[in-house]
Amino acid sequence: MADDTTPQATPQPYPGLKSLDRLVGTWKVSGPDIDGHVTFEWMEGGFFLLQHVDFVHSGRKIKGVEIIGYEREFGATEPSKTIKSHWFDNIGDTFEYTYEVNNKTLTIWGGEKGSPAYYKGKWSDDGNTNTGAWHYPGGGGYESTMTRVK
């Protein structure tokens, strides 16, 4: 029988999450069809990055929140192999994404890695700008630039 008085070790965030540090801060998002701000901040504990979105995209006001991190499903002892996210917004959309962040690029796939719906952006040398575009299956998408404001 387990001794409930034994102190438990404090869980530590998964090392792969460090790649998301590049996103932390407030960013101006601009492009031909988009204008506004996004803010990324770590949730207490460091297991999830929160994105708060407030912009106008194609004439539509979008406010939303995204929770980004490794998934660890009920009963699992190990996290997912890739960084996933769940998006919720003021117009009722709920999306899932897969993130990959490194010193050169930010890639976000709609759904699973390798999806034909994806964002690919390149970081500036100082890491304060990301310029890229969303690409959609069958054509379409939009360009945007994300510039750190704090």
Side-chain angles (χ1 to χ4, degrees), residues 31 36 104 133-134:
K104 301 274 187 209
W134 274 98

Side-chain angles (χ1 to χ4, degrees), residues 52-150:
H52 302 276
V53 172
D54 186 358
F55 54 62
V56 176
H57 180 251
S58 298
R60 181 182 261 173
K61 179 79 171 160
I62 304 291
K63 285 193 165 209
V65 64
E66 186 174 20
I67 303 170
I68 308 163
Y70 289 103
E71 292 181 335
R72 191 175 71 210
E73 296 183 11
F74 187 76
T77 57
E78 295 296 321
S80 58
K81 301 277 187 222
T82 56
I83 296 173
K84 304 285 197 163
S85 78
H86 296 270
W87 163 265
F88 307 90
D89 66 30
N90 64 309
I91 59 174
D93 289 330
T94 61
F95 300 125
E96 293 183 9
Y97 296 99
T98 300
Y99 271 69
E100 191 171 274
V101 184
N102 60 44
N103 290 335
K104 301 274 187 209
T105 60
L106 166 63
T107 307
I108 307 167
W109 290 275
E112 297 298 321
K113 185 174 180 174
S115 165
Y118 66 94
Y119 173 86
K120 182 91 171 194
K122 182 178 177 188
W123 294 108
S124 61
D125 289 340
D126 64 5
N128 290 322
T129 304
N130 187 280
T131 303
W134 274 98
H135 304 272
Y136 299 137
Y142 63 93
E143 295 179 6
S144 68
T145 298
M146 198 169 70
T147 305
R148 188 185 307 275
V149 293
K150 67 176 188 168

Side-chain angles (χ1 to χ4, degrees), residues 24-63:
V24 173
T26 298
W27 303 79
K28 167 94 172 119
V29 179
S30 59
D33 295 327
I34 193 165
D35 184 58
H37 289 85
V38 299
T39 300
F40 292 90
E41 63 182 346
W42 286 107
M43 178 186 280
E44 185 175 341
F47 283 90
F48 297 99
L49 187 68
L50 304 177
Q51 178 183 198
H52 302 276
V53 172
D54 186 358
F55 54 62
V56 176
H57 180 251
S58 298
R60 181 182 261 173
K61 179 79 171 160
I62 304 291
K63 285 193 165 209

